[in-house]
Amino acid sequence: MIPFALQIADALQGMNVDYGDVRVIHLQAQEITVTNQIPEVVGGSETLGFGVRVLKGGAWGYAASATMDASLIVPTVKRALAVAEASTMVASERDPFQPPPVVQGKFVTPCKIDPFDVPIEQKVTLLLAATKIMQQTKQIHLAKGFLDFRKERKVFVATTGTQLDQEIIQCGGGIVAYATDGNDVQHRSYPSSFRGNFASAGWEFVEALGLVSHAEQVADEARQLLAAPLCPTMQTTLILEDDQLALQVHESIGHPIELDRIFGYEASYAGTSFLRPDMLRSFRYASEIVNVTADATIPGGLGTFGYDDEGTPAQRVPIIRDGILVGFLSSCSTAPRLGLASNGTMRADGWQNFPLIRMTNINLEPGEWDRNALIADTKKGLLLQTNKSWSIDDQRVNFQFSTEVAREIHNGKLGRLYKNPVYTGITPQFWNSCDAICSDAFAQFWGTPNCGKGEPPQTARVGHRVAPARFRNVRVWGAK
Amino acid sequence: MITGHADIFSFLDRIIRQANVDQAEVLLLRTDTGLTRFCKNSIHQNTITTTQRLQIRVAVNRKLGSFSTDRIDDAGIAHAIQNAVSIANAQHPDPEFKSLPSGNTIVEPRGYVEATAQCAPAQRAQLVKQMCSLAVNQKAELAGALSTTTEELAIVNSLGIHAYQQSSLAEANIVASKAALSGYAYWLGTDITALPASFLSEQALSKATSSLPIITLEPGRYTVVLEPYAVGTLVDDLSYVSFSAKAFQEKRSFMSQKIGTRVAEPCITIWDDGLDAQGLLRAFDFEGVRKRKVLLIDRGIARGVVYDSRTAARQKDAQNTGHALPAPNAYGPLAINLFMQGGAARSIDEMVRTIEHGLYITRFHYANIVEPLATVLTGMTRDGTFLIENGKLTRPVRNMRFTQSILEALANVEALTAETSLVEGFYGGTRVPALKISDFHFTGVSELAES
């Protein structure tokens, strides 16, 4: 892959471009879904291709191909150039791209057991066992188990001389039980919904999930929800468990801080942001106990890597400090508009796509609370766990989430279950109502493998390390 | 590069023979996509991508294995076959697997336009320039995307299926913005030369250039007029959670208990038809099975769901309707060529004139199902929401959140336009009219405290 990438870089040098880079990517993936002890999906895939990005006359062009044939190098580079030249026909200003410092580097995900060395049979057997246990609970009519594995080798070469070689290994897994009484259907997931939890790690991550050992409890909770009353309508205190809070951070902090959204690049599709560049270092995003970082360096995170797709090294940068907005996610084209250097968040979904600003690991820094003490300190409220649905407007202001389960908090103690809880809010108001965050002992990494953005739609794999937190005066009701 | 149905069939037949298993299926998908994205009247992303995908599915002693690759040379193909067979051999027998579908040859000549295939980056840029120049004249800004795609899809299996379709697609979306207002336009078709660039730009600009200040309305129940863009969201989401045989069989769809009963107003008829060129033509599904027209809701009565080979085999009275997605997938079959019957209203304006106090909605944003069984959907209005007073659009309205059962909305439909429009679907196009709906439930407003 490296010699092929170097050949392309040579071709770029020969075509008098302002700047050019190439990514050659080989991605292997496995996906397994078992439903009611039937191996419904057992599939593997690989993709190998290259994408060439050129800056010419202050405008970008991009061409990508799945055919790794040396005879196609020059035609593909010429296509990228033709596209760049077409871009200049409708360009109001030159792109202020500032390439990162030249670097030669390697990055490999720390991994004890390569998931592709684990036999398929062992993986399927794990999910057969988990679904069998869930099916043994009364009223469970549907039991599903999921496993996903990826290994991506990515070579990056730029005309500046940067040369990078990365291998990123990721695993994920989860289970879900559906219960029905003939009228209603309720479900519970473990460790989280939408295929479980994900991490940059090896098979050891899946083993540590304990999918089989949690199967009975998951099924029992789904069954209990059938008999639970609908979540009442009220304005109340919420404690969000870490799995739901991860998505709250994702939607109402992670996306609004993307500088390409702020500059309008995504206006027609995913939307823009309520944030403006002039809010940096002055806007009170959240209460003073809230600190958020973007950290692409932390081991295990699904958004962890060595270098982004412009060759900028992975970084840990503050986003919200003591409640004040202090950082955006940026790139080599957006950061210079603010007089800054890129903080390394440009990533593409495969060789096929043009890189965009994507979340890395957007983490809510831990507070000081013990989780039990936090519940004991709450007179009246709800504890919400595990996302069921989400929606947020095109400027990331008005959000609405529903979770699989709510548990009543009354006089500092957990009480009855409620089903179909929904909560809604306005982003800065909500984050300014945060008055307690649990300590590092209760923090967990949650991987979001399905972050959508861009046209054509690209999927990014990002992470959020969070601990449960409390929010005041939130509007809640039960969906029916 | 192998191209055209005869050579591709021959190529895929060789792979089937090479696999040498009980049953085998090979899918080849080739795409060429040119995409131009712009914002603030300037191109910021411009790409050309060529992809090729070979998907091999094998059955060995009722054990299934799948592998896909874009390495379409001898070594890559051998590797893919070996992996698919290895996965199958390592499997437990699938008690629900009866057989891959059988069939014959389908070659669909419609749906391909050479002009779209030949559209060069400069031509796309010229169209974008044409659209943006209108915005510049009105001191407004356009953001959007213009893309052209050509595709060759072929599926061959060991039971006789040989299916091939070459198609083209041109697509444009535009958001026009000026100060706090925005407007939207979208177009989808097979022929780039039919793309009405200036008309789209004007349509989006017309909603963004009101001189009246934006107002905030209280949440509550309103009579609404939904443009086809918004109606498409309702129909697509209803289909996604309700019209797949898999959700039906797993009792996750309201259809599981409602077949033959009234679920919507008698004016509501929804069907799926991949063979109707008024939509985006898809002659066969991703198992190579010819698509059938499926009536989903007929004059308000729940009638049926869509099947693939697996879900059809699970149910005694079911027939495969040709709605498989690419294998392997856990979702099951999906209706991707949806239609809603139009009504009697001669225009959207005619519906607006009947409303004393209500809301006009151009499109929805980030809609997501809250409760699948009750078809409760939430989302935001976007890019053109207006107050209707005494039969006229009077003021732009700040975006609002709705939380609304789709079925309940379809039970409150008071009027439909006769004309239907092809709008963006989950995986293709959806053709729908505009609707007038009473008691549409809004639960929030997008407003910062400081604004």
Side-chain angles (χ1 to χ4, degrees), chain B residues 185-263:
Chain B
Y186 175 83
W187 186 86
L188 180 66
T190 55
D191 185 356
I192 186 70
T193 64
L195 191 146
S198 296
F199 171 79
L200 291 173
S201 187
E202 285 163 1
Q203 188 184 40
L205 285 163
S206 67
K207 289 174 182 163
T209 51
S210 167
S211 57
L212 294 168
I214 194 165
I215 60 167
T216 300
L217 290 185
E218 286 296 312
R221 291 189 178 270
Y222 290 82
T223 295
V224 295
V225 169
L226 304 183
E227 281 201 18
Y229 303 129
V231 176
T233 298
L234 297 187
V235 172
D236 286 342
D237 278 282
L238 182 68
S239 168
Y240 185 73
V241 294
S242 309
F243 296 149
S244 169
K246 187 145 187 248
F248 176 82
Q249 291 167 349
E250 293 179 348
K251 300 184 173 65
R252 294 181 286 110
S253 160
F254 80 90
M255 297 288 276
S256 305
Q257 297 176 24
K258 297 286 186 184
I259 293 290
T261 66
R262 178 164 300 286
V263 296

Side-chain angles (χ1 to χ4, degrees), chain A residues 45-92:
Chain A
S45 64
E46 69 171 343
T47 175
L48 174 65
F50 66 101
V52 181
R53 192 172 71 140
V54 301
L55 188 66
K56 173 88 173 174
W60 288 106
Y62 187 79
S65 175
T67 306
M68 296 281 289
D69 184 332
S71 68
L72 285 179
I73 288 175
V74 170
T76 304
V77 170
K78 283 184 174 173
R79 288 179 95 190
L81 267 176
V83 173
E85 283 161 5
S87 300
T88 62
M89 292 168 59
V90 197
S92 56

Side-chain angles (χ1 to χ4, degrees), chain A residues 209-222:
Chain A
L209 289 174
L211 298 181
V212 173
S213 61
H214 285 82
E216 186 177 350
Q217 181 190 344
V218 167
D220 191 53
E221 286 180 11

Side-chain angles (χ1 to χ4, degrees), chain B residues 37-172:
Chain B
R37 296 185 83 195
F38 50 99
C39 75
K40 299 184 191 299
N41 304 326
S42 184
I43 291 172
H44 68 91
Q45 180 186 321
N46 209 352
T47 65
I48 297 179
T49 304
T50 302
T51 69
Q52 53 183 7
R53 199 89 193 126
L54 191 70
Q55 169 81 44
I56 298 172
R57 181 162 59 145
V58 300
V60 182
N61 297 326
R62 299 185 70 178
K63 299 186 288 188
L64 292 172
S66 297
F67 197 85
S68 73
T69 184
D70 44 28
R71 289 172 56 200
I72 307 183
D73 51 25
D74 288 347
I77 290 166
H79 181 70
I81 292 171
Q82 182 193 341
N83 271 287
V85 172
S86 297
I87 288 170
N89 283 331
Q91 279 268 30
H92 297 248
D94 180 346
E96 289 195 338
F97 176 73
K98 302 290 189 291
S99 170
L100 293 176
S102 57
N104 45 32
T105 300
I106 304 170
V107 175
E108 177 55 63
R110 297 176 295 166
Y112 176 78
V113 176
E114 185 67 18
T116 305
Q118 296 301 327
C119 184
Q123 187 183 348
R124 289 201 310 276
Q126 190 59 47
L127 286 166
V128 170
K129 192 173 185 177
Q130 186 182 337
M131 293 190 278
C132 290
S133 62
L134 293 169
V136 171
N137 292 342
Q138 298 189 43
K139 295 188 169 61
E141 292 178 341
L142 289 196
L146 172 62
S147 66
T148 52
T149 301
T150 56
E151 177 181 298
E152 273 188 300
L153 173 65
I155 298 152
V156 167
N157 79 13
S158 56
L159 300 177
I161 279 181
H162 288 74
Y164 173 90
Q165 183 172 0
Q166 186 177 26
S167 56
S168 62
L169 188 68
E171 191 174 12

Side-chain angles (χ1 to χ4, degrees), chain B residues 140-405:
Chain B
E141 292 178 341
L142 289 196
L146 172 62
S147 66
T148 52
T149 301
T150 56
E151 177 181 298
E152 273 188 300
L153 173 65
I155 298 152
V156 167
N157 79 13
S158 56
L159 300 177
I161 279 181
H162 288 74
Y164 173 90
Q165 183 172 0
Q166 186 177 26
S167 56
S168 62
L169 188 68
E171 191 174 12
N173 67 67
I174 303 172
V175 170
S177 57
K178 187 174 181 182
L181 297 184
S182 59
Y184 178 72
Y186 175 83
W187 186 86
L188 180 66
T190 55
D191 185 356
I192 186 70
T193 64
L195 191 146
S198 296
F199 171 79
L200 291 173
S201 187
E202 285 163 1
Q203 188 184 40
L205 285 163
S206 67
K207 289 174 182 163
T209 51
S210 167
S211 57
L212 294 168
I214 194 165
I215 60 167
T216 300
L217 290 185
E218 286 296 312
R221 291 189 178 270
Y222 290 82
T223 295
V224 295
V225 169
L226 304 183
E227 281 201 18
Y229 303 129
V231 176
T233 298
L234 297 187
V235 172
D236 286 342
D237 278 282
L238 182 68
S239 168
Y240 185 73
V241 294
S242 309
F243 296 149
S244 169
K246 187 145 187 248
F248 176 82
Q249 291 167 349
E250 293 179 348
K251 300 184 173 65
R252 294 181 286 110
S253 160
F254 80 90
M255 297 288 276
S256 305
Q257 297 176 24
K258 297 286 186 184
I259 293 290
T261 66
R262 178 164 300 286
V263 296
E265 278 290 285
C267 59
I268 298 300
T269 295
I270 300 171
W271 69 95
D272 184 272
D273 189 359
L275 300 177
D276 186 341
Q278 292 296 305
L280 280 187
L281 197 80
R282 283 273 177 197
F284 50 87
D285 71 2
F286 289 94
E287 292 180 317
V289 174
R290 184 177 289 282
K291 283 186 169 287
R292 297 182 185 203
K293 180 177 177 178
V294 178
L295 207 46
L296 304 161
I297 295 177
D298 180 20
R299 288 164 291 178
I301 308 294
R303 286 297 179 206
V305 294
V306 298
Y307 292 84
D308 57 9
S309 66
R310 186 180 185 92
T311 51
R314 282 175 95 187
Q315 197 178 317
K316 273 184 186 169
D317 56 344
Q319 284 189 313
N320 188 346
T321 59
H323 288 84
L325 292 176
N329 83 83
Y331 176 84
L334 178 65
I336 59 173
N337 298 90
L338 288 160
F339 291 79
M340 178 185 266
Q341 180 75 50
R346 281 168 294 184
S347 69
I348 294 181
D349 287 346
E350 182 180 299
M351 295 198 297
V352 169
R353 282 197 291 272
T354 64
I355 296 173
E356 191 176 329
H357 183 78
L359 279 170
Y360 181 96
I361 291 160
T362 300
R363 68 185 290 215
F364 292 135
H365 172 79
Y366 219 137
N368 210 336
I369 288 287
V370 180
E371 284 303 319
L373 261 185
T375 68
V376 176
L377 183 74
T378 191
M380 297 295 302
T381 68
R382 189 182 165 182
D383 300 328
T385 306
F386 295 91
L387 178 65
I388 303 172
E389 292 177 297
N390 300 319
K392 290 181 179 169
L393 305 192
T394 55
R395 299 284 290 274
V397 173
R398 203 172 298 284
N399 286 330
M400 299 181 74
R401 171 170 297 287
F402 68 94
T403 305
Q404 169 69 54
S405 157

Side-chain angles (χ1 to χ4, degrees), chain A residues 57 79 155 236 290 363 373 407 458 479-480:
Chain A
R79 288 179 95 190
V155 169
T236 193
V290 174
N363 303 331
R407 192 174 280 276
Q458 296 190 40
K480 59 181 177 180

